[in-house]
Amino acid sequence: MNRAGRALAVVAAVLAVGDATAPVNASAAGPPGVHPALRDDLVAYYDFDHPVPGDPALERDQGRSGTEIELINGGVAQRVADRAYPGGRKVLRTGPKNGVNDDWKAGIWSAGGVRTLRAFNATAGATTMGWFKRDMDGPAAGFNAIGLTGVLSGDSDGHAVRALLELIDVDGTLRLVALGRRIDGGDSQTFAADEDWRTLLPKGQWVHLAATFDFTNGTMALYRDGKPVPGFYTRDDDPWLVNGLGPHVTTATDPRGIKIGGSFPWPGSADRNPCDCRMDALMFLSRSLSSREVANQYRYMIRG
């Protein structure tokens, strides 16, 4: 199957799912490596050990939504042997290439919204987390950010997000950030880490990162290896418009997808903010986890 056909197949398979909230791949006990307390809220989970039978350029979702993603431009070659945590096997490789519009990245996108990600429709919170190992010294030429992973907004062109974990320039300094948007087409808020990004994400070393988004209270948080990362908000106004009467939730639209390792998650698309990185155990949850829950998940994984 060619790249365009594969992209259409991914979207068609996702949109064909009738009940977006029903468990699809997760067993009653839940996927291994996921703390039992988090399994009910685990919308999507990718460990890159589960290629779709018959098309290994697609990765099966081990969460409850069944949202398959595509390994874009590199396909099966993007699964490489490495170990981010005990029990891990293959990991995802992303990064810039030499041509035009050929960066290795992953994800899914649909102009009509991805129905299986409906848990992020009118949600009060979200969490994205995973294991990351960088191999680059800074953003690729012409860019000011390094894209890690996030959930797209309901009106996204493939770049705009509802909940994102990335590295981006903040007032002239590259920083690890959580970036969230409550209202489609509205302003985003950014929570940026105080510590140097190279210390938080050392080159060639696996690190567990998490970002939480509480859309009701207008707060975000970052975590590294299960511990809170001190930081600051880049805006002191009310970009999420949460000062009025609540409850405050995201726009009631299905996200247009998930992006991993860069923007525009479909073959032949423009390249933006590529991440020369390895990633594993990417989790997308439909609520804002507490610091204790993030720590418990990290410990659960490193204990194997």
Side-chain angles (χ1 to χ4, degrees):
M1 183 182 295
N2 61 31
R3 291 177 178 176
R6 181 181 293 118
L8 290 173
V10 173
V11 173
V14 167
L15 294 180
V17 176
D19 183 355
T21 63
V24 176
N25 290 322
S27 68
V34 180
H35 193 282
L38 304 187
R39 291 171 182 168
D40 287 347
D41 302 295
L42 185 65
V43 179
Y45 173 39
Y46 307 101
D47 62 7
F48 305 102
D49 294 328
H50 294 85
V52 170
D55 194 345
L58 302 180
E59 177 71 15
R60 293 172 58 197
D61 178 8
Q62 302 304 298
R64 63 185 175 91
S65 75
T67 307
E68 294 174 355
I69 58 171
E70 181 174 2
L71 312 189
I72 300 167
N73 295 325
V76 66
Q78 290 179 242
R79 284 191 194 85
V80 297
D82 203 343
R83 181 162 293 182
Y85 57 93
R89 293 176 291 173
K90 296 293 183 68
V91 304
L92 174 70
R93 181 67 189 267
T94 64
K97 297 300 172 182
N98 297 323
V100 177
N101 301 348
D102 65 348
D103 288 352
W104 283 11
K105 50 193 173 183
I108 182 174
W109 182 85
S110 171
V114 178
R115 187 185 308 170
T116 52
L117 297 177
R118 188 157 292 171
F120 297 109
N121 175 322
T123 184
T127 298
T128 181
M129 66 172 71
W131 292 87
F132 303 89
K133 181 165 73 171
R134 71 171 175 97
D135 293 316
M136 59 199 309
D137 296 317
F143 300 102
N144 72 339
I146 300 172
L148 297 179
T149 188
V151 177
L152 300 177
S153 62
D155 61 350
S156 178
D157 60 354
H159 179 69
V161 291
R162 193 162 281 173
L164 176 69
L165 180 61
E166 75 170 352
L167 298 151
I168 194 170
D169 185 291
V170 177
D171 295 329
T173 300
L174 195 69
R175 295 186 184 275
L176 174 68
V177 307
L179 186 150
R181 178 177 287 101
R182 187 176 75 84
I183 302 170
D184 287 355
D187 291 337
S188 63
Q189 175 66 291
T190 301
F191 181 80
D194 290 330
E195 198 167 2
D196 190 289
W197 72 279
R198 291 159 294 193
T199 302
L200 294 170
L201 197 59
K203 189 174 181 180
Q205 179 178 319
W206 282 106
V207 175
H208 186 264
L209 299 176
T212 63
F213 305 83
D214 184 334
F215 296 110
T216 294
N217 295 309
T219 59
M220 293 180 285
L222 287 167
Y223 299 87
R224 179 187 186 273
D225 289 347
K227 298 179 180 179
V229 175
F232 60 95
Y233 292 98
T234 61
R235 297 180 56 156
D236 57 8
D237 56 350
D238 183 24
W240 288 359
L241 304 180
V242 296
N243 286 335
L245 295 175
H248 303 293
V249 297
T250 60
T251 301
T253 53
D254 296 339
R256 286 191 174 178
I258 291 171
K259 65 177 184 177
I260 301 168
S263 292
F264 310 113
W266 64 89
S269 62
D271 297 333
R272 188 182 298 184
N273 303 334
C275 182
D276 187 2
C277 302
R278 298 187 180 203
M279 307 182 190
D280 201 7
L282 301 181
M283 301 182 183
F284 303 87
L285 300 101
S286 55
R287 65 181 176 87
S288 178
L289 300 186
S290 68
S291 59
R292 181 175 182 178
E293 288 172 318
V294 174
N296 286 344
Q297 172 57 35
Y298 170 71
R299 287 193 292 265
Y300 194 81
M301 296 197 81
I302 62 173
R303 290 172 181 170

